[in-house]
Amino acid sequence: MNTKLHAICHSKGQPLNLFVTAGQVSDYIGARALLSSIPNVDWLLGDRGYDADWFREALKDRGIRACIPGRKQRKKPVKYDKRRYKRRNRIEIMFGRLKDWRRVATRYDRCSKVFLSAIALAALVIYWL
């Protein structure tokens, strides 16, 4: 019953791709699943959970600069653009708007496929209609 939603959004905060994993699974699994669907962009803003050397290298190979703060356990701190990182609030606003739908916020659905379908339907109505 515990799930984690991973999303790719464009600069206006509209979701482009959604992926659901189990709640106890690391964010690296969601990053690996969504890596191939990242559009050609200059920057990628991500949460601390996506801080991994392999993920940064994969983005660099595609010509995308990562704006992801380092985890607190890192021995060598990672530099990132703090001004640009403040724009990540658009992603958090997108998640908040999805949770305005009671079905998404309370997770009525037991099956993860049905839950992802409810999220996709909510995103379609909120952002694209």
Side-chain angles (χ1 to χ4, degrees):
M1 291 296 291
N2 192 5
T3 54
K4 193 180 293 184
L5 177 64
H6 305 271
I8 294 176
C9 302
H10 62 62
S11 61
K12 294 179 183 174
Q14 295 174 325
L16 300 175
N17 198 349
L18 303 167
F19 185 71
V20 175
T21 60
Q24 67 274 13
V25 173
S26 173
D27 287 338
Y28 301 141
I29 304 296
R32 191 177 309 267
L34 292 174
L35 185 61
S36 63
S37 64
I38 296 175
N40 292 331
V41 293
D42 295 330
W43 287 88
L44 180 118
L45 307 179
D47 195 7
R48 287 182 194 266
Y50 296 102
D51 176 37
D53 292 331
W54 66 265
F55 188 57
R56 290 178 186 275
E57 287 297 320
L59 291 174
K60 191 175 181 181
D61 292 343
R62 294 188 61 190
I64 301 172
R65 291 185 277 181
C67 184
I68 303 170
R71 290 183 181 255
K72 296 185 187 216
Q73 297 92 341
R74 258 191 192 267
K75 294 179 182 174
K76 184 179 177 185
V78 177
K79 293 182 181 180
Y80 67 99
D81 187 357
K82 292 180 182 178
R83 268 179 100 187
R84 188 174 303 273
Y85 186 72
K86 287 183 180 181
R87 295 182 191 162
R88 204 180 69 80
N89 69 342
R90 295 174 187 163
I91 299 167
E92 298 301 328
I93 291 169
M94 184 269 309
F95 282 118
R97 289 187 69 190
L98 286 176
K99 288 181 181 179
D100 284 344
W101 282 50
R102 187 173 177 198
R103 182 179 196 106
V104 174
T106 57
R107 197 184 191 286
Y108 287 139
D109 307 305
R110 288 191 172 278
C111 179
S112 62
K113 290 179 184 177
V114 177
F115 181 58
L116 182 60
S117 299
I119 293 170
L121 181 63
L124 178 75
V125 170
I126 293 170
Y127 292 103
W128 301 106
L129 291 182

